[in-house]
Amino acid sequence: MMTFPMHPFITALIGGALIGLSASLLLLFNGRIAGISGIAGGLLSTPNRSEWAWRLAFLCGLLGGGLLLRAFWPHVLGAPIVSGAAWVVASGLLVGFGTRLANGCTSGHGVCGISRGAPRSLVATLTFMATGAITVFLVRHVLGGAP
Amino acid sequence: MSTWVTAAVAGLLFSLGLGMGGMTDPARVQGFLDFTGAWDPTLAFVMGGALAVHAPFSWLIRRRSAPVLAPAFPELSKTRVDGRLLLGASLFGMGWGLSGYCPGPALTSLVTGGGMVALFVLSMLGGMWLFDSLSNSSGRAKKRQTTERVGEPTREAA
């Protein structure tokens, strides 16, 4: 198993830069916003064929990157914190429904929207970080562990 | 070059960035959100790196009249902070805190073959589908009154 030879902060910065580069490529060539919830959600809601192609290609690229990670740095891939199936389903539903209702997730609002200077995205990012932190607080420090 | 090639390259870079940054490790995500415990600030650097690259590039790119492979930049349909945004972001944050997964890392982690990750992704897609079917059924009544707008922009993230 290979580990990254650098301080985690540096690795994180490089990882972030790759995400920024990816978002820039998609905007420059396709004119699209690299919001994962929007790209994946669009596959479920759009009947348009050309809309399908690039979305599906993006997701295939995403999985291709995942395979490279699995081959070279498997330690970076984990599993959901909650272990009970009901909790996994509940958290998945919250993430899917919530990101579509808010029109974006960590990438669409947190990276693309804030990069553009959109107040809406800054508000969304602060909101999901706040409710995320409250949830972790309740799970870790009130319930005393993941359900 | 067609739009799906550039989209695939962007997807590949995206998940490599997620993995390198630590976003695909739910334990690290929870550590980042655990402000009252042993706070792990690493993921702030992922966001910092992404913004440092994308903010200047997106400013430059938007000065162009059009993307390289598309006729125009789609207009963003939503600009206001409203209840939908706040409620949606709140629900998303809860699910993110509970599972340690946001959409990109969850989809990327499908390659582990883990049953719980697959269950999470299925539920997430189910939540998206639920939202679409609810908004379609409530939007249909409105659509009947306002005659169909031609070239309505596709709903974009953010």
Side-chain angles (χ1 to χ4, degrees), chain A residues 47-100:
Chain A
N48 183 329
R49 230 195 205 167
S50 68
E51 276 296 306
W52 250 75
W54 77 266
R55 286 166 197 269
L56 205 58
F58 185 94
L59 292 184
C60 288
L62 204 70
L63 291 176
L67 287 173
L68 286 176
L69 291 172
R70 197 180 73 161
F72 296 106
W73 305 288
H75 64 286
V76 302
L77 297 166
I81 300 285
V82 283
S83 47
W87 286 99
V88 171
V89 170
S91 53
L93 285 172
L94 284 168
V95 169
F97 192 87
T99 51
R100 292 300 277 161

Side-chain angles (χ1 to χ4, degrees), chain A residues 129-130 132-144, chain B residues 29-41:
Chain A
M129 295 219 330
I134 292 168
T135 305
V136 169
F137 175 77
L138 290 175
V139 168
R140 276 199 178 173
H141 305 295
V142 179
L143 295 175
Chain B
V29 172
Q30 271 207 339
F32 173 66
L33 291 172
D34 191 4
F35 293 102
T36 59
W39 187 53
D40 175 1

Side-chain angles (χ1 to χ4, degrees), chain A residues 22 29-30 32 76 103 140-141, chain B residues 6 10 24 34 68-69 156 158:
Chain A
S22 158
F29 286 96
N30 298 35
R32 295 304 182 141
V76 302
N103 278 93
R140 276 199 178 173
H141 305 295
Chain B
T6 47
T24 49
D34 191 4
V68 177
L69 299 174
E156 276 293 322

Side-chain angles (χ1 to χ4, degrees), chain B residues 2-29:
Chain B
S2 83
T3 53
W4 65 267
V5 177
T6 47
V9 172
L12 187 86
L13 283 176
F14 202 97
S15 58
L16 289 178
L18 287 174
M20 244 190 123
M23 293 289 293
T24 49
D25 182 356
R28 174 146 266 172
V29 172

Side-chain angles (χ1 to χ4, degrees), chain B residues 60-94:
Chain B
L60 281 172
I61 293 165
R62 281 172 188 280
R63 286 160 59 102
R64 295 171 56 93
S65 56
V68 177
L69 299 174
F73 290 106
E75 273 180 51
L76 292 158
S77 46
K78 295 199 163 55
T79 49
R80 279 206 355 255
V81 173
D82 54 13
R84 277 181 48 146
L85 180 84
L86 294 174
L87 179 64
S90 300
L91 295 176
F92 163 46
M94 289 177 206

